[in-house]
């Protein structure tokens, strides 16, 4: 290209560049920064609006939970589902505990059993008690026999036939008669004046726990035992079950009602430090074995 052509080409390029710069400065889309600023502002406003909405919603849900209405209707704690239990005003964790108890084979046989639910207040139980209805399917099987006997008794009375009162009320023994404490069963124990089904079962249970009675006064260890009934019992040939204090473990020793955890630990520690125990007198130096504790335990130990 000669000199004139080069000048023309350069001039054309300059004009084109100036035109592009003019278009970019004077027309076209708005600057990117402005768009970003607007979008940022709109995004911030949207977030604030959404946040206020969420706060409003969460506030509403909070008050909705607190103002949950409590209903009262008949229910069986053995079969009621979670929805019903929550409607009654129980907390979710209480409902969970009820499900765990039932899953382990637990059964509510009486209304009072439901009062043992953890976290249940006296006021709540009194409000729920009139609505608790235990199905007869969950009652002890012995009630079936009692029900049949009751029907039989009514039929006998209606037909004017003599009724055998011994079916329900055993004949009580006389003042000069006695019951051998270690060999009597619940039926014999119920013949003692002042002893019903509850105390008859407690006498047998406590005797098994002890390993046999060695004194009539041990009946006082049963809470509320009627004192006037003690004169009808006698001890004959007492042979209580013995505990070998030199062989039993700590857990085995503490199962006896006359040995607590600390006493069992002292026995185990004595064997470890001094060897076999020859007599309970070896433990007299311990404050956990006062004379009365040793005297009470002596008939039940061997060495």
């Amino acid at each position: 290209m000669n000199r004139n052509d080069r000048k023309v080409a350069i001039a054309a390029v300059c004009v084109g560049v100036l035109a592009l710069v003019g278009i970019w400065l004077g027309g076209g889309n708005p600057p990117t920064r402005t768009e970003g600023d607007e979008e940022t502002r709109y995004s911030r406003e949207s977030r604030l609006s959404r946040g206020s909405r969420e706060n409003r919603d969460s506030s509403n849900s909070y008050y909705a939970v607190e103002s949950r209405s409590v209903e009262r209707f008949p229910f069986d704690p053995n079969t009621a589902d979670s929805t019903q239990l929550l409607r009654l005003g129980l907390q979710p964790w209480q409902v969970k505990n009820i499900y765990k108890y039932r899953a382990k084979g637990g059964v509510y046989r009486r209304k009072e059993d439901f009062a043992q639910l953890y976290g249940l207040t006296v006021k709540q139980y009194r409000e729920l008690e009139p609505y608790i209805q235990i199905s007869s399917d969950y009652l002890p099987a012995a009630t079936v026999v009692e029900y049949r006997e009751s029907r039989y008794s009514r039929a006998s009375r209606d037909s004017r036939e003599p009724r055998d009162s011994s079916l329900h009320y055993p004949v009580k023994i006389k003042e000069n008669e006695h019951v051998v404490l270690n060999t009597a069963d619940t039926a014999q124990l119920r013949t003692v004046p002042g002893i019903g089904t509850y105390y008859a079962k407690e006498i047998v249970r406590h005797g098994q726990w002890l390993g046999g009675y060695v004194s009539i006064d041990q009946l006082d260890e049963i809470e509320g035992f009627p004192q006037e009934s003690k004169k009808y019992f006698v001890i004959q040939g007492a042979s209580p079950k013995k505990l070998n204090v030199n062989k039993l473990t700590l857990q085995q020793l503490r199962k006896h009602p006359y040995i607590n955890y600390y006493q069992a630990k002292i026995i185990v520690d004595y064997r470890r430090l001094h060897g076999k125990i020859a007599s309970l007198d070896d433990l007299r130096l311990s404050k956990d074995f006062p004379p009365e504790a040793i005297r009470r335990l002596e008939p039940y130990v061997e060495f």
Side-chain angles (χ1 to χ4, degrees):
M1 296 177 62
N2 55 29
R3 183 179 297 175
N4 292 332
D5 292 336
R6 285 197 300 272
K7 290 181 179 180
V8 171
I10 293 171
V13 170
C14 291
V15 171
V17 171
L18 291 174
L20 291 174
V21 172
I23 293 172
W24 181 73
L25 292 176
N29 296 326
T32 304
R33 181 179 180 181
T34 304
E35 290 179 357
D37 291 343
E38 289 296 325
E39 289 177 357
T40 302
R41 183 170 62 85
Y42 289 141
S43 299
R44 184 166 58 251
E45 291 177 354
S46 176
R47 284 198 305 272
L48 291 174
S49 175
R50 185 168 62 252
S52 62
R53 256 196 331 271
E54 290 176 353
N55 291 335
R56 191 163 56 249
D57 293 342
S58 63
S59 177
N60 291 337
S61 64
Y62 172 81
Y63 287 107
V65 172
E66 289 296 324
S67 61
R68 177 162 58 96
S69 60
V70 176
E71 303 178 37
R72 293 288 180 260
F73 52 86
F75 72 100
D76 187 342
N78 291 303
T79 57
D81 58 25
S82 58
T83 303
Q84 293 174 317
L85 295 172
L86 290 172
R87 285 167 55 198
L88 290 166
L90 298 179
Q91 298 298 323
W93 54 270
Q94 290 177 310
V95 176
K96 186 177 180 181
N97 287 340
I98 293 174
Y99 270 69
K100 285 183 177 179
Y101 176 72
R102 297 193 314 207
K104 293 180 179 179
V107 176
Y108 297 97
R109 301 187 185 278
R110 303 175 302 163
K111 291 184 178 182
E112 292 79 4
D113 293 342
F114 192 71
Q116 299 179 11
L117 177 64
Y118 181 75
L120 192 68
T121 64
V122 174
K123 179 182 178 182
Q124 289 174 319
Y125 173 71
R126 287 177 178 172
E127 292 177 354
L128 292 172
E129 184 181 12
Y131 301 95
I132 301 175
Q133 297 181 353
I134 307 295
S135 172
S136 59
D137 294 338
Y138 296 96
L139 296 177
T143 58
V144 177
V145 179
E146 294 175 1
Y147 173 71
R148 289 177 180 173
E149 289 181 352
S150 177
R151 287 201 309 171
Y152 172 77
S153 300
R154 286 199 302 269
S156 299
R157 185 175 63 252
D158 294 341
S159 61
R160 301 179 182 273
E161 294 180 359
R163 176 179 173 182
D164 185 5
S165 61
S166 64
L167 290 174
H168 296 276
Y169 304 102
V171 178
K172 299 296 184 179
I173 61 177
K174 298 178 182 179
E175 287 283 341
N176 60 344
E177 295 179 326
H178 298 88
V179 170
V180 180
L181 186 57
N182 281 318
T183 58
D185 57 18
T186 54
Q188 292 174 307
L189 292 170
R190 288 177 62 196
T191 63
V192 175
I195 302 299
T197 302
Y198 171 76
Y199 281 118
K201 291 180 178 179
E202 285 298 301
I203 292 171
V204 173
R205 183 193 64 81
H206 192 62
Q208 292 174 344
W209 194 19
L210 286 169
Y213 290 97
V214 295
S215 170
I216 300 298
D217 291 333
Q218 288 177 298
L219 293 173
D220 295 333
E221 297 168 6
I222 301 174
E223 184 177 0
F225 189 85
Q227 294 296 307
E228 63 275 8
S229 299
K230 291 170 58 177
K231 63 183 180 180
Y232 294 97
F233 294 101
V234 293
I235 301 289
Q236 291 181 356
S239 56
K241 184 179 179 180
K242 302 285 187 177
L243 303 173
N244 193 318
V245 294
N246 286 315
K247 293 182 179 180
L248 297 179
T249 64
L250 185 147
Q251 295 300 329
Q252 291 172 327
L253 288 169
R254 62 178 299 198
K255 288 182 180 180
H256 196 275
Y258 291 166
I259 302 178
N260 58 36
Y261 171 80
Y262 299 102
Q263 292 171 329
K265 191 172 187 304
I266 289 171
I267 293 173
V268 173
D269 289 344
Y270 185 95
R271 291 184 339 216
R272 178 171 53 84
L273 297 174
H274 306 287
K276 290 185 177 182
I277 299 174
S279 169
L280 289 180
D281 291 335
D282 297 340
L283 306 173
R284 289 185 183 274
L285 295 178
S286 172
K287 64 178 182 180
D288 290 299
F289 279 97
E292 60 272 16
I294 291 178
R295 183 173 59 253
R296 186 173 64 168
L297 186 59
E298 278 179 339
Y300 295 98
V301 299
E302 63 182 5
F303 309 97

